[in-house]
Amino acid sequence: MRNNLTPLTILFICFLLISQFSGEEKETVKLPPPQTEGGKPLMQCLKLRQSSREFSSEKLPLQTLSNLLWAAYGINRPESGKRTAPSAVNWQNIDIYVATADGLFLYDAKEHALIQIVKEDIRTLTGTQDFVKTAPINLIYVGDFSKIPRGTDEDKRFYSAAHTGFISQNVYLFCASEGLSTVVRASINREELSKAMKLRTDQHIILAQTVGFPKK
């Protein structure tokens, strides 16, 4: 078939493609290095650990968010890439998404950064309780089944749930140390939220966890 496209037409098509891809570039927020010194002693954190369902709408400082995400599932052994929570066979199949008033972000542990996924505020979709709409941070734990190379979907869900439990407890202990409120949640419309988060079919929402300052 003869190509009837003129050079000008080809140039215009290239311009449109470049514009389209440029519009899809995702904003990356580089987090400050985590502060790994200080905090309350472990036994005191365990004594203070609790769930709370009342939150201030005040935003968390970026440094606090950095410390929180590193404590949750950051890399604590750079030479091996291993992290603050255990993972069977080192699959590291849990992704932490962060829903804020500024949009939805994916935590990139290797770069210790947040990658914007959605610009809209989707906090309302992260749970059925009213407080999720105004709390500053809703963490969404997503199990990526493609990172577990063997076993049934039931096996993959079991491992994902166990991994999420380790991570969410890290968050609880960090919040106890820093005087923050938190609660882990399972009441989620997963189908609706998955669509808003643009998840693949092999990505599954396991739990969500709200974090913020205590309500005054």
Side-chain angles (χ1 to χ4, degrees):
M1 182 180 291
R2 185 178 176 182
N3 187 347
N4 294 321
L5 295 177
T6 67
L8 183 61
T9 303
I10 293 173
L11 183 64
F12 180 68
I13 292 172
C14 290
F15 174 77
L16 288 178
L17 289 173
I18 292 171
S19 299
Q20 179 181 357
F21 287 123
S22 297
E24 292 177 353
E25 288 181 359
K26 295 177 180 179
E27 178 186 353
T28 298
V29 179
K30 185 66 178 177
L31 296 168
Q35 297 169 326
T36 58
E37 303 292 333
K40 293 183 174 68
L42 174 60
M43 297 302 283
Q44 190 173 351
C45 291
L46 288 168
K47 183 178 180 181
L48 294 172
R49 193 220 64 81
Q50 62 178 316
S51 294
S52 176
R53 294 168 178 80
E54 294 187 341
F55 300 87
S56 165
S57 60
E58 180 183 353
K59 287 188 176 182
L60 295 185
L62 195 60
Q63 183 66 66
T64 303
L65 181 57
S66 168
N67 297 347
L68 166 69
L69 292 171
W70 182 87
Y73 203 34
I75 293 174
N76 63 352
R77 287 156 288 174
E79 67 282 357
S80 64
K82 293 184 178 180
R83 302 165 85 161
T84 58
S87 174
V89 201
N90 198 33
W91 281 323
Q92 297 189 15
N93 79 303
I94 301 299
D95 290 316
I96 301 180
Y97 288 79
V98 185
T100 75
D102 299 318
L104 178 72
F105 299 83
L106 172 64
Y107 176 51
D108 181 343
K110 290 182 180 178
E111 299 297 329
H112 195 58
L114 291 172
I115 302 170
Q116 190 167 50
I117 304 300
V118 175
K119 293 183 177 180
E120 292 76 25
D121 181 356
I122 66 165
R123 288 177 295 172
T124 299
L125 301 178
T126 65
T128 60
Q129 300 93 331
D130 286 339
F131 60 78
V132 305
K133 303 173 185 177
T134 55
I137 299 292
N138 286 293
L139 305 176
I140 306 148
Y141 302 120
V142 175
D144 187 345
F145 285 15
S146 71
K147 293 180 180 178
I148 301 179
R150 61 175 183 263
T152 65
D153 278 357
E154 184 178 355
D155 295 329
K156 295 176 182 182
R157 192 171 296 279
F158 169 80
Y159 284 116
S160 297
H163 298 160
T164 296
F166 302 139
I167 296 167
S168 63
Q169 178 70 336
N170 281 355
V171 172
Y172 266 108
L173 295 176
F174 174 82
C175 289
S177 176
E178 298 300 311
L180 298 172
S181 294
T182 189
V183 63
V184 71
R185 304 179 284 97
S187 297
I188 307 163
N189 184 328
R190 286 172 172 77
E191 183 177 354
E192 186 177 14
L193 181 56
S194 295
K195 184 177 179 180
M197 293 174 66
K198 303 179 180 179
L199 297 182
R200 306 186 313 271
T201 55
D202 53 5
Q203 289 179 290
H204 299 268
I205 295 169
I206 307 300
L207 292 171
Q209 188 165 9
T210 306
V211 178
F213 291 109
K215 189 173 184 179
K216 298 179 181 177

